[in-house]
Amino acid sequence: MITHYGIPASPGVAIGEALIFDKERIRIPRRFVTRDAVDDEVRRLEQAIDAVAAEIDRNRELVTGQLGAQYGAIFAAHLAMLRDPRLNEEWRRLIREQHYAPEHAVSETLRRYASVFQKLEHRFLAARSEDVLDIERSLLRCLTGQPREELTHIGSPVAVLAHDLTPSETASLDRRFVIGFATESGGAGGHSAIVARALEIPAVVGLGRFLAETGPGDAVIIDGDEGRLIVRPDGPTRAEFERRAESRRTFAASLERFRDLPAETADGTRIEIDANIEFPHEVDACRQRGADGIGLYRTEFLYLGAAREPTEDDHFRAYADVVERMGGRPVVIRTFDLGADKLGRAPGESEERNPFLGLRSIRISLRHVTEFRRQLRAILRAGASGDVRVMFPMIATVPELRRAKAILADACEDLDEAGIPRPPKMPVGMMVEVPSAVVLLDRFLPDVDFVSIGTNDLIQYALAVDRCNREVADLYHDTDPAVLKLIAMTVDAAERHGKPVGLCGQMSANPLCTPLLIGLGLRSLSMPPADIPEIKQICRGTTVERCREVAGRALRMESARQVDHYLREEFQKNRT
Amino acid sequence: MTAEKSERSATGEVTVINEQGLHARPAHALMMCASGFQSNVEIVKDGECVDGKSILSLLTLAAARGTRLVIRARGDDAEEAVAALTDLIARGFGEDGGGASDGTK
């Protein structure tokens, strides 16, 4: 039994057989063919091209079906690249005239294109190098006749283990058979993690090297709660996790009844429970779990994996869809919040030495005013038919907030000039996730209608810990008293100004923290839809008075360890 | 594939106006449009000349907004090809829909 530690990317426990999706670049030797074999070799290449084209087509249908046309569109470009006449001509020439083996020809040409794209400055073009390498891998797999372990053709439940998964690979995981996945690379905010949470399957990323010592068919446990991968578990360990998985299932079933009950404390205080979503289709999960609204609609999926910059209509459709399906409940749309970790696929863009302190989120939006204004117009348009609120991420200074608002005003003007309807006054909020905003919140509040605390970033900036960095991820604690103090300061300032304040980081989904957050004064929590029933249950089982005591004690402690220990004790007390 | 008889040819010049320039989707649209003609189509940017029917070649141009492109076609439907392609590029590939103005202040 070996235990590997990584970053928890999507909660839950999966126990099953390993399917190793090893796409470590296949090394192709320089190989040549004899003159009389040339015709056969060209035919072999043509068959491989046809096979890969069919595969791309299947992926397109699959991804379009699961995640929408925006995602499916990537594959039209893939197909055009595979069928590119220049490329095909060059392959044939290399085989016929230079007597290259097809593998050699494919590898050499595509890697050359990949490196050309990598050098281009344009973000979306640089990302094309991944596409080209994807095509190379597919062709080589066909040509070398390697046993194909197709993610889309899995027939029995498996845990997928890989070095990394591309957007299309993650998106095409078949939910019926893939019980979880674990990857050597990647971070908690990375694309695979986002998709795993949306698909509600457990995942652990950033495990470091483990594939070498893992065999296909090995029994594995993916512990998405604690960020562990256990390979070939011994009997007792397996039994323990099976109990955990089972109790999770019965627990989930027992929570069903909370769906239609409000999150109201035993002494009658109503807590608003909203959902964080990534994709429009998650609205169904929100309604099933009884969310009061959407507290955080991330809009990054429009950019991730897309073959092009989204148009205003792309934005609008994605927003209007959610607004309509939420049937009048509030929807908070957060503007572009791509950061260094999420744009990881675009070389050139991620070469900052300190990406989390670099060009990301609102900073990117304020530099690319045209794109930003386009997104804001779409949000305003969506607001014409429902309760839509706009929220700016990562605001660190008052001038930044004012600039963002000025661009919002310009977007309003654009629509008015064009005679396109918009709400007369859309509520504007900001994320509080940079310590400077907490300290100076009094000065920001007159300019906003609401604030939402983004604990994920607030913690990493307050504690100076990059949670995607395996070396220091263990120093990242949401319960550090310094973090609690920052939350308390934010809530107090907002209350003084009479502005609503919510919390939408991962902390809001942690049942241990719920009493603490209520005690700190929060009355609105936003979390992944899957966590809503349990948090509702916690709210209903406690009182505001009790929560205040918990918060008061925790605030006086000196370390996250102490707070954790205390919260765990409290939790057990309430559960029994 | 060299010309054997006296071939028709046409040339046009056009500026890339869509914001993202010749990225994947416009390159795909351009390639599809060019492939609809029998003529050979070349796209020239700053003296660099690529096959208009090859998406990979088009992408390597990395033609940003504001780039002047020369479209050259040789073949029976050369004029039609140049007209269609310049129109497609001049219309910004139909991107940035929505009607509202996109001007930055």
Side-chain angles (χ1 to χ4, degrees), chain A residues 271-319:
Chain A
I271 311 295
E272 181 185 330
I273 303 287
D274 296 323
N276 298 345
I277 62 166
E278 313 272 358
F279 301 108
H281 73 79
E282 287 180 272
V283 170
D284 299 338
C286 298
R287 309 224 37 175
Q288 276 160 27
R289 266 65 177 246
D292 292 320
I294 306 285
L296 173 63
Y297 182 8
R298 301 186 168 97
T299 55
E300 289 75 64
F301 81 98
L302 286 161
Y303 300 86
L304 289 167
R308 59 185 168 95
E309 184 86 33
T311 63
E312 184 176 323
D313 282 334
D314 291 334
H315 281 290
F316 173 70
R317 272 191 297 273
Y319 306 152

Side-chain angles (χ1 to χ4, degrees), chain A residues 71-196:
Chain A
Y71 256 89
I74 319 170
F75 298 99
H78 269 205
L79 206 56
M81 290 179 192
L82 175 70
R83 295 284 192 196
D84 190 284
R86 285 281 152 167
L87 184 65
N88 281 262
E89 204 176 285
E90 193 174 356
W91 285 338
R92 283 183 182 81
R93 188 182 56 75
L94 286 171
I95 298 171
R96 288 194 186 283
E97 292 169 24
Q98 316 261 344
H99 295 181
Y100 274 36
E103 291 88 345
H104 185 182
V106 161
S107 199
E108 189 174 293
T109 47
L110 287 175
R111 285 184 193 194
R112 197 186 62 230
Y113 274 112
S115 75
V116 170
F117 290 145
Q118 255 158 27
K119 290 193 191 98
L120 298 179
E121 276 170 20
H122 196 296
R123 173 151 59 91
F124 283 91
L125 288 182
R128 290 314 116 222
S129 71
E130 264 306 311
D131 297 343
V132 172
L133 292 175
D134 224 10
I135 293 170
E136 183 213 359
R137 277 193 298 273
S138 303
L139 278 172
L140 289 181
R141 253 185 334 224
C142 275
L143 285 167
T144 53
Q146 292 207 346
R148 303 183 42 80
E149 301 206 278
E150 274 243 33
L151 289 180
T152 45
H153 292 150
I154 301 164
S156 61
V158 287
V160 172
L161 309 184
H163 174 68
D164 191 13
L165 291 169
T166 63
S168 57
E169 285 159 358
T170 317
S172 66
L173 294 175
D174 188 329
R175 255 182 282 194
R176 284 169 305 160
F177 298 123
V178 176
I179 56 174
F181 70 80
T183 61
E184 292 188 333
S185 67
H191 182 90
S192 311
I194 290 174
V195 177

Side-chain angles (χ1 to χ4, degrees), chain A residues 84 86 308 373-374 413, chain B residues 19 23 51 54-56 103:
Chain A
D84 190 284
R86 285 281 152 167
R308 59 185 168 95
R373 196 156 145 182
R374 177 191 303 146
E413 241 173 65
Chain B
E19 287 173 39
H23 65 95
D51 181 350
S54 160
I55 185 170
L56 287 166

Side-chain angles (χ1 to χ4, degrees), chain B residues 3-40:
Chain B
E4 279 162 16
K5 46 187 179 205
S6 70
E7 260 181 337
R8 296 167 63 185
S9 69
T11 306
E13 213 178 330
V14 65
T15 303
V16 177
I17 61 147
N18 60 309
E19 287 173 39
Q20 289 302 310
L22 205 54
H23 65 95
R25 202 193 68 94
H28 187 235
L30 192 59
M31 178 278 286
M32 292 297 280
C33 178
S35 303
F37 295 95
Q38 167 269 319
S39 297
N40 282 332

Side-chain angles (χ1 to χ4, degrees), chain A residues 23-95:
Chain A
K23 42 155 241 198
E24 289 278 282
R25 302 282 138 84
I26 308 163
R27 286 274 141 215
I28 295 302
R30 287 172 63 84
R31 199 163 69 78
F32 298 91
V33 296
T34 56
R35 184 180 303 273
D36 40 310
V38 159
D39 283 337
D40 285 341
E41 293 294 324
V42 169
R43 209 166 308 125
R44 200 158 68 82
L45 175 63
E46 280 163 358
Q47 281 163 1
I49 295 171
D50 288 343
V52 172
E55 180 189 323
I56 293 175
D57 237 17
R58 274 199 309 275
N59 276 340
R60 172 167 55 188
E61 279 170 29
L62 202 84
V63 172
T64 306
Q66 289 204 346
L67 296 174
Q70 175 78 19
Y71 256 89
I74 319 170
F75 298 99
H78 269 205
L79 206 56
M81 290 179 192
L82 175 70
R83 295 284 192 196
D84 190 284
R86 285 281 152 167
L87 184 65
N88 281 262
E89 204 176 285
E90 193 174 356
W91 285 338
R92 283 183 182 81
R93 188 182 56 75
L94 286 171
I95 298 171

Side-chain angles (χ1 to χ4, degrees), chain B residues 30-80:
Chain B
L30 192 59
M31 178 278 286
M32 292 297 280
C33 178
S35 303
F37 295 95
Q38 167 269 319
S39 297
N40 282 332
V41 175
E42 289 174 338
I43 312 290
V44 190
K45 174 198 154 193
D46 301 332
E48 192 182 342
C49 168
V50 303
D51 181 350
K53 298 182 183 179
S54 160
I55 185 170
L56 287 166
S57 312
L58 288 169
L59 286 171
T60 57
L61 285 181
R65 179 185 199 168
T67 307
R68 287 297 279 175
L69 294 178
V70 176
I71 319 285
R72 282 204 300 248
R74 272 184 299 111
D76 288 343
D77 49 10
E79 285 93 355
E80 292 90 327

